[in-house]
Amino acid sequence: MTIRYPNGKPFIATPTSSKQVKNSFSNRGQSLEDDLNETNAFYLAHQQAVVHKKPVPIQIVNVEYPHRSAAVIREAYFRTPSTTDYNGVWQGHYIDFEAKETKNKTSFPLQNIHEHQMSHMAAVQNQGGCAFFIIRFTNLARDYFVPYSAIAPWWAGMKKGERKSIPLSFFETQICISNKYAPRIDYLQALRTFVNRTESEENNI
Amino acid sequence: MTIRYPNGKPFIATPTSSKQVKNSFSNRGQSLEDDLNETNAFYLAHQQAVVHKKPVPIQIVNVEYPHRSAAVIREAYFRTPSTTDYNGVWQGHYIDFEAKETKNKTSFPLQNIHEHQMSHMAAVQNQGGCAFFIIRFTNLARDYFVPYSAIAPWWAGMKKGERKSIPLSFFETQICISNKYAPRIDYLQALRTFVNRTESEENNI
């Protein structure tokens, strides 16, 4: 049974269908969320970073206490999150990101991103944190690392009535995350590449 | 109705009783959690930090979709968290803390702290993050800022069979957080004091 937000959208990354699995070379049928959970567990075990997925916020209304058993929540509602799904620390840096999947092959629809995620990431960047997206093109078997600052102009454009999706050609200018056995999605390597690029650009000014 | 973890402990900071409210000059009857939520909202609005409380982790088993209404969770269970309750970013620093209240007047019982919180904070410190506790002595109307590194020796002592609580005299050597109208609990000021002290100690070596 799919669990949904009040607005009807699933709150868990959609599992890949059997058809997608056949077409995918990288994710072996796992959702991006599963891959990231494994990756974060790997980073934690190897003392490379401390990153966790935030639980889904729930408004609890009624709880039962059956005799000698665990408490059972009998009435609760999904609340709208006010942050992104993942955050943590890597070598002293605060990192904060959102993971998105699309089945599209030619562009990424901006409707996958929510207003609260953009405003949270803007605040994080303003405080000197690293805010970014991990975007999976499921049917292309590619995962991209895209800094918040690169998504922001497309988001602003959409709000002014410009295009509602970001073309694949844009992602091809971004960092493609290599898929490995362990860690599954080495986004820290992509982050390191991004940080080094940014620093060398700053030195060239 | 109090909501409890499977082990019977309440998962929300215990609200202060009417007796405590009379004795308290600082918190005006609000729980530490309420005060921290207000403080974090103040920091966010004033662009001083981006810190959020993590939702309680829940295992959802069954959800109903009443016609034209929001989805209702009908069966769910509390899960044990693997991190602390609060984290975020302040001037590029990753910050991570746990808030604790005690009604004791002479010591802080270490049983208020859980193993997963200590191991998470050790990992955070190891990655260069700022890990600390905010400890409220409800009946003394005092809130202390205590770095993880100062609690760790007491915790290690307890595990070796030494004392199970930290005496108030120890807290009196730590930073007392000033209580104000806004922000309610200015823990960033305490963190700044701590960071400055640590840096000047390092310079004196």
Side-chain angles (χ1 to χ4, degrees):
Chain A
M1 181 178 206
T2 311
I3 295 157
R4 292 174 188 283
Y5 281 113
N7 66 6
K9 292 202 178 152
F11 88 100
I12 287 176
T14 319
T16 47
S17 72
S18 59
K19 191 183 168 195
Q20 282 171 263
V21 172
K22 278 185 208 159
N23 289 338
S24 166
F25 303 100
S26 74
N27 65 20
R28 303 186 208 167
Q30 284 209 133
S31 71
L32 181 54
E33 180 175 331
D34 290 336
D35 281 346
L36 285 169
N37 288 345
E38 278 184 27
T39 301
N40 290 336
F42 179 93
Y43 287 153
L44 187 64
H46 292 76
Q47 302 187 14
Q48 291 179 11
V50 183
V51 178
H52 290 273
K53 184 172 193 293
K54 291 197 179 179
V56 179
I58 304 281
Q59 180 70 46
I60 296 166
V61 176
N62 192 8
V63 182
E64 274 177 19
Y65 303 96
H67 189 52
R68 289 172 178 266
S69 316
V72 189
I73 298 163
R74 285 296 181 201
E75 186 184 354
Y77 299 89
F78 295 103
R79 286 161 52 202
T80 308
S82 48
T83 65
T84 50
D85 278 352
Y86 298 87
N87 76 352
V89 57
W90 162 68
Q91 298 184 357
H93 299 280
Y94 174 83
I95 67 176
D96 194 302
F97 64 93
E98 190 64 35
K100 300 289 182 191
E101 283 182 281
T102 182
K103 294 175 187 172
N104 278 27
K105 292 182 183 181
T106 55
S107 69
F108 173 76
L110 282 163
Q111 68 186 16
N112 285 323
I113 301 176
H114 305 291
E115 187 70 48
H116 74 265
Q117 293 161 348
M118 292 302 281
S119 53
H120 172 70
M121 284 179 151
V124 163
Q125 185 175 271
N126 186 40
Q127 275 301 319
C130 306
F132 56 93
F133 288 86
I134 295 174
I135 294 177
R136 169 169 291 181
F137 283 85
T138 312
N139 289 323
L140 301 177
R142 278 188 230 161
D143 299 330
Y144 289 103
F145 171 98
V146 190
Y148 160 78
S149 57
I151 296 288
W154 293 100
W155 183 261
M158 181 191 67
K159 296 186 95 177
K160 285 188 290 184
E162 294 166 18
R163 58 179 297 170
K164 290 176 183 167
S165 67
I166 307 177
L168 182 65
S169 57
F170 165 80
F171 290 93
E172 287 169 340
T173 67
Q174 301 295 310
I175 300 165
C176 194
I177 304 174
S178 56
N179 277 249
K180 299 192 280 195
Y181 178 70
R184 296 287 295 128
I185 307 178
D186 197 356
Y187 65 82
L188 287 183
Q189 191 181 44
L191 180 56
R192 241 175 258 124
T193 306
F194 172 69
V195 168
N196 291 343
R197 261 189 214 172
T198 312
E199 281 172 1
S200 75
E201 276 168 18
E202 280 168 0
N203 291 339
N204 288 340
I205 289 168
Chain B
M1 179 178 208
T2 312
I3 295 157
R4 294 175 187 282
Y5 280 114
N7 66 5
K9 294 205 176 146
F11 89 98
I12 287 177
T14 320
T16 47
S17 72
S18 57
K19 191 182 170 198
Q20 283 171 261
V21 173
K22 278 186 205 155
N23 289 339
S24 166
F25 302 100
S26 73
N27 66 20
R28 303 184 206 166
Q30 284 208 133
S31 71
L32 181 54
E33 179 174 332
D34 289 337
D35 282 347
L36 284 169
N37 287 345
E38 278 184 27
T39 301
N40 290 335
F42 179 93
Y43 287 152
L44 187 64
H46 291 76
Q47 303 187 12
Q48 292 179 12
V50 182
V51 179
H52 291 273
K53 184 172 193 292
K54 289 196 180 179
V56 179
I58 304 281
Q59 180 69 47
I60 297 166
V61 176
N62 192 8
V63 184
E64 275 178 17
Y65 302 96
H67 190 54
R68 288 172 180 269
S69 318
V72 189
I73 298 163
R74 285 296 180 202
E75 186 185 353
Y77 298 89
F78 295 104
R79 285 162 51 200
T80 308
S82 48
T83 64
T84 51
D85 278 354
Y86 298 88
N87 76 352
V89 58
W90 162 70
Q91 297 183 359
H93 299 281
Y94 174 82
I95 67 176
D96 194 301
F97 64 94
E98 190 64 35
K100 300 289 181 189
E101 284 184 282
T102 181
K103 292 174 186 172
N104 279 27
K105 291 181 183 181
T106 55
S107 68
F108 173 77
L110 283 163
Q111 68 186 18
N112 285 323
I113 301 176
H114 305 290
E115 187 70 49
H116 74 265
Q117 292 161 348
M118 292 302 282
S119 53
H120 173 69
M121 284 178 151
V124 163
Q125 185 175 271
N126 186 41
Q127 274 301 320
C130 305
F132 57 92
F133 288 87
I134 296 174
I135 294 177
R136 169 169 290 180
F137 283 85
T138 313
N139 289 323
L140 301 176
R142 278 189 230 158
D143 298 330
Y144 289 103
F145 172 97
V146 190
Y148 160 77
S149 57
I151 296 288
W154 293 99
W155 183 262
M158 181 190 68
K159 296 187 97 178
K160 285 188 291 186
E162 294 166 19
R163 56 178 300 170
K164 291 177 181 166
S165 67
I166 307 177
L168 182 64
S169 57
F170 166 79
F171 290 94
E172 287 169 341
T173 66
Q174 300 296 308
I175 300 165
C176 194
I177 304 173
S178 56
N179 277 249
K180 300 192 281 195
Y181 178 70
R184 297 285 297 127
I185 306 178
D186 196 356
Y187 65 82
L188 285 183
Q189 193 179 43
L191 181 56
R192 243 175 256 124
T193 306
F194 172 71
V195 168
N196 291 343
R197 262 189 212 171
T198 311
E199 282 172 0
S200 75
E201 276 169 18
E202 281 168 1
N203 292 339
N204 288 339
I205 288 167

